[in-house]
Amino acid sequence: MSAENVDKLPVHYEQLEDLQEDLEQVELELTRIRDEKTRDLLAEREKIVEQIPNFWPLVFEHAPPEIDEYIQPTDATIIVTALKKLSVARFELPNGHPRSISIKFEFGDNEYFEDTTLEKKFWWRTAKDGWAGLVSEPVPIKWKPGKDLTDGLLDLAKQIFDDEKAGNMGKDTPAKKALVAKLENTSLDNVSFFNFFGFRGRYISEEESRVATKAEEERRQARKAGKQVDEDEDEEEDDDDDFEFEVFPNADEVAVTIVEDLYPDAIQYFLDGENLAAMSDADFEDEEEEDGMKMD
């Protein structure tokens, strides 16, 4: 078909968008079912791996690149020596949004922080301008003196969030000035993985998300019924400056990778690590034998 004929075809973008939304709804329903069906199996796995020394550290050692690229050498040391358990949950189910997720890390004693549990929650929210995605709240870490791997970035992110929650939204606070100054001299490509706990995303309240979701669903149902729907032209993308103060901009993507890849496939990552270790031991033994034969 020529480009000229293609241009003459009627294009119904709203129908395509609605079909895409229907497909996404099927995916969400499958996520709900999968969560229900695997919950008991994952609980059984948890009991088993608790008896295996260094299970989770080995899993992280062989994590996919989407996670591994953010783990600095010192982060890896903490994970190897202190990580005891990892657990995830779609905490808003069965009645809430299946894309809302939480990730809980449990640690033993270590020289860097006092916390034994660090849990990061991500809520799936929809904005009135049509944006949808994960938002969160900064989680503080009780660093031991001189051991803050985030160099104060996490504390500042938490302070900014607390200031805005107290009514200083949009104001140029001392914490914002300090964070901007630090970020100007910091490469986020080399920051600690523990900056992950400072991610916040856009500030979208639960009520705003509920209203926006309801309004979009009503428009979608009206289009399906063949009614003329006037899109709200007053709704423009929010020029929210939340992202200016992110200390780990890709934390939402890392979180999804942990929840949908690393955690459900943890056994395979562990076995991959065991196999590589066995191969390395075998190679070492072969080298020893060759050296012994040369000496003879």
Side-chain angles (χ1 to χ4, degrees):
M1 183 178 292
S2 68
E4 182 179 352
N5 290 332
V6 170
D7 291 338
K8 293 179 180 178
L9 289 174
V11 180
H12 303 287
Y13 292 105
E14 292 84 2
Q15 291 178 330
L16 288 175
E17 291 174 357
D18 290 342
L19 180 58
Q20 180 62 35
E21 178 62 25
D22 288 339
L23 291 170
E24 289 183 7
Q25 290 301 317
V26 171
E27 286 296 324
L28 292 180
E29 185 59 29
L30 291 174
T31 299
R32 290 187 180 93
I33 294 172
R34 183 165 57 249
D35 181 78
E36 180 182 356
K37 295 293 186 182
T38 60
R39 198 172 301 154
D40 290 343
L41 292 172
L42 291 173
E44 182 179 351
R45 185 187 73 179
E46 184 177 306
K47 293 178 182 179
I48 296 173
V49 302
E50 283 179 350
Q51 304 172 48
I52 302 176
N54 300 317
F55 177 86
W56 287 110
L58 191 55
V59 169
F60 266 90
E61 187 177 341
H62 296 278
E66 294 85 351
I67 298 171
D68 184 66
E69 65 176 307
Y70 296 106
I71 299 178
Q72 306 301 328
T74 307
D75 303 329
T77 298
I78 296 175
I79 290 172
V80 168
T81 60
L83 181 62
K84 300 300 181 184
K85 183 179 177 182
L86 175 75
S87 55
V88 307
R90 297 187 184 273
F91 63 92
E92 289 194 326
L93 291 180
N95 300 317
H97 205 291
R99 287 198 178 115
S100 294
I101 53 179
S102 70
I103 304 172
K104 183 187 294 184
F105 299 80
E106 296 183 35
F107 295 92
D109 291 337
N110 65 85
E111 63 176 292
Y112 288 92
F113 50 78
E114 299 177 5
D115 306 88
T116 57
T117 299
L118 294 173
E119 183 176 11
K120 182 73 169 168
K121 285 188 172 183
F122 297 81
W123 290 264
W124 185 267
R125 294 278 167 81
T126 300
K128 60 185 179 181
D129 61 26
W131 179 91
L134 293 171
V135 303
S136 187
E137 298 181 3
V139 176
I141 296 178
K142 297 177 184 176
W143 299 103
K144 293 181 179 179
K147 296 294 185 178
D148 183 354
L149 297 181
T150 73
D151 191 28
L153 290 175
L154 177 57
D155 287 345
L156 287 171
K158 180 68 167 63
Q159 185 61 56
I160 291 171
F161 183 84
D162 290 344
D163 288 344
E164 293 184 346
K165 202 172 181 180
N168 294 308
M169 182 70 71
K171 295 182 181 179
D172 196 13
T173 62
K176 285 185 177 180
K177 293 178 181 178
L179 182 58
V180 169
K182 270 187 173 292
L183 290 176
E184 287 177 350
N185 298 297
T186 302
S187 171
L188 291 180
D189 293 333
N190 299 312
V191 298
S192 168
F193 176 79
F194 290 92
N195 278 37
F196 171 85
F197 292 95
F199 175 83
R200 52 179 294 178
R202 291 182 60 174
Y203 183 81
I204 302 171
S205 68
E206 181 180 2
E207 177 63 15
E208 178 185 343
S209 181
R210 185 188 66 78
V211 171
T213 300
K214 181 180 179 182
E216 178 54 35
E217 179 61 21
E218 288 175 350
R219 287 193 291 268
R220 196 166 72 91
Q221 293 301 327
R223 286 195 297 268
K224 281 190 169 185
K227 298 178 181 178
Q228 181 67 33
V229 177
D230 295 327
E231 300 295 336
D232 192 344
E233 296 180 358
D234 293 332
E235 290 183 1
E236 297 180 357
E237 186 172 349
D238 191 355
D239 291 328
D240 197 324
D241 64 355
D242 288 342
F243 293 105
E244 181 183 354
F245 307 106
E246 289 291 3
V247 296
F248 196 123
N250 296 326
D252 52 344
E253 298 174 8
V254 172
V256 171
T257 303
I258 291 174
V259 171
E260 297 186 353
D261 185 345
L262 185 76
Y263 185 74
D265 294 337
I267 293 174
Q268 188 59 55
Y269 284 112
F270 174 78
L271 294 177
D272 289 345
E274 289 280 272
N275 291 335
L276 286 174
M279 291 172 62
S280 298
D281 290 342
D283 290 342
F284 180 74
E285 291 175 359
D286 289 343
E287 289 177 3
E288 282 191 327
E289 291 179 2
E290 290 177 4
D291 291 341
M293 292 175 65
K294 290 178 182 178
M295 292 178 62
D296 292 341

